[in-house]
């Protein structure tokens, strides 16, 4: 089974700097693998360990993703190959453009059975890129997947976690699947895997090589800023549950929330 895992490299949320005007700066932020994507990589590696094949990682973004430390981190977590698509126009790309680039890369690689992605990116968290990749490929596409197994017939047995129910589905390959963060706990790389990572192959493609250099953007980002800071009211409510509930409603009405 050949599996592609789509990872997004983003500025570390812990390093973001928020100005007094709400502006957000990433100038001093280190770039890292998105936390929602690591469980997808772990899921792909576990499937290959159990059933054979290889795991290929795809990353698309600006020049910052071409970081040797990040590449080694990805490859030390069980991936066999890494492909990066680097272009400045992908720095603030919307989900449609990103999905088109990733789908073109999947098609160029060929002989792929499964594409995995996280439930959303660590920066924008639109939860759209993974399903749009599947749509562009014309494959079976499923999101919110919390468990994947391979059945005796070669099809995938999938558990899908929704708000008030759990679905059990069967999906024929090829398929594109977006997994939840709790599907697996990402592994910590051993020293042996870290040393092996330096010998694994990495490749870089341009948008022109994928035939998507002139792909238009479908959204315009006008502004990205933090919400205004609001001082806490520090209202302590005491009394029985019924009394506290009535007092809370009264405060909320005064604040115009209700």
């Amino acid at each position: 089974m050949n599996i592609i895992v789509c990872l997004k490299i983003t500025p570390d949320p812990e390093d973001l700097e928020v100005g007094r005007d709400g502006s957000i700066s990433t100038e001093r932020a280190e770039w890292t693998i998105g936390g929602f994507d690591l469980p997808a990589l772990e899921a792909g590696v576990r499937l290959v360990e159990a059933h054979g094949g290889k795991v290929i990682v795809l990353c698309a973004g600006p020049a910052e993703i071409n970081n040797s430390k990040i590449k080694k981190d990805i490859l030390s977590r069980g991936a066999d190959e890494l492909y990066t698509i680097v272009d400045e126009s992908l720095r603030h790309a919307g989900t449609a453009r990103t999905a088109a680039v990733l789908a073109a890369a999947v098609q160029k690689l060929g002989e792929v059975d499964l594409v995995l992605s996280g439930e959303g990116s660590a920066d924008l968290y639109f939860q759209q890129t993974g399903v749009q990749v599947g749509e562009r490929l014309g494959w079976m596409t499923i999101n919110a997947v919390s468990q994947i197994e391979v059945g005796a017939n070669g099809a995938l047995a999938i558990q899908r976690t929704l708000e008030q129910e759990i679905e059990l589905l069967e999906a024929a390959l090829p398929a594109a699947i977006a997994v939840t963060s709790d599907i697996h706990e990402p592994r910590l790389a051993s020293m042996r895997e870290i040393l092996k990572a330096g010998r694994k192959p990495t490749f870089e493609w341009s948008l022109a090589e994928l035939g998507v250099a002139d792909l238009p953007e479908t959204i315009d980002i006008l502004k990205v800023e933090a919400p205004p800071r609001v001082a806490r009211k520090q209202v302590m409510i005491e009394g029985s549950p019924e009394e506290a509930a009535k007092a809370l409603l009264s405060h909320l009405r005064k604040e115009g929330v209700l």
Side-chain angles (χ1 to χ4, degrees):
M1 179 184 293
N2 292 330
I3 299 174
I4 287 180
V5 181
C6 300
L7 301 183
K8 188 170 186 181
I9 311 302
T10 67
D12 191 332
E14 297 294 328
D15 295 337
L16 298 182
E17 296 179 337
V18 180
R20 292 184 177 180
D21 60 350
S23 61
I24 299 175
S25 174
T26 61
E27 290 184 4
R28 299 184 183 181
E30 286 194 28
W31 286 61
T32 185
I33 308 168
F36 296 110
D37 297 318
L38 287 174
L41 177 56
E42 180 65 25
V45 172
R46 291 196 187 196
L47 286 171
V48 165
E49 288 175 343
H51 305 283
K54 64 180 178 180
V55 175
I56 302 168
V57 170
L58 282 180
C59 299
E64 284 87 347
I65 72 172
N66 252 345
N67 179 302
S68 59
K69 181 180 177 181
I70 293 174
K71 290 180 177 180
K72 182 170 286 189
D73 189 10
I74 293 171
L75 293 169
S76 67
R77 293 174 183 269
D80 298 294
E81 299 175 5
L82 170 63
Y83 288 77
T84 57
I85 303 102
V86 180
D87 195 276
E88 181 58 29
S89 68
L90 298 175
R91 182 177 297 276
H92 301 297
T95 57
R97 191 163 196 264
T98 302
V101 170
L102 294 173
V106 173
Q107 291 171 326
K108 185 175 177 67
L109 284 167
E111 298 183 2
V112 176
D113 302 295
L114 179 63
V115 173
L116 295 176
S117 62
E119 59 184 338
S121 62
D123 50 358
L124 300 177
Y125 198 66
F126 286 142
Q127 298 179 279
Q128 292 294 313
T129 301
V131 293
Q132 289 185 52
V133 169
E135 176 67 20
R136 285 183 174 273
L137 293 171
W139 294 0
M140 169 77 76
T141 304
I142 307 173
N143 70 338
V145 172
S146 54
Q147 184 175 313
I148 307 173
E149 296 180 357
V150 179
N153 60 354
L156 299 180
I158 289 173
Q159 178 175 293
R160 188 167 182 258
T161 302
L162 304 178
E163 290 185 359
Q164 297 182 356
E165 60 185 11
I166 293 177
E167 289 185 342
L168 301 179
L169 307 173
E170 184 176 89
L173 298 174
I177 293 176
V179 303
T180 59
S181 298
D182 59 354
I183 188 169
H184 291 301
E185 182 70 25
R187 69 186 63 190
L188 295 175
S190 65
M191 182 57 66
R192 179 183 178 186
E193 291 301 323
I194 293 172
L195 294 174
K196 285 173 58 179
R199 299 190 296 271
K200 292 181 179 180
T202 62
F203 308 89
E204 181 180 336
W205 285 340
S206 67
L207 296 183
E209 289 177 290
L210 295 178
V212 291
D214 300 324
L215 192 68
E217 184 55 89
T218 57
I219 65 169
D220 293 322
I221 297 179
L222 303 180
K223 184 186 297 185
V224 177
E225 61 182 23
R229 297 179 181 179
V230 179
R232 295 178 181 272
K233 300 297 182 180
Q234 297 182 340
V235 176
M236 302 295 292
I237 299 176
E238 299 179 353
S240 67
E242 293 79 6
E243 293 170 341
K246 290 178 180 179
L248 176 60
L249 288 173
S250 176
H251 282 293
L252 292 177
R253 290 191 181 100
K254 289 180 182 178
E255 295 296 329
V257 177
L258 295 178

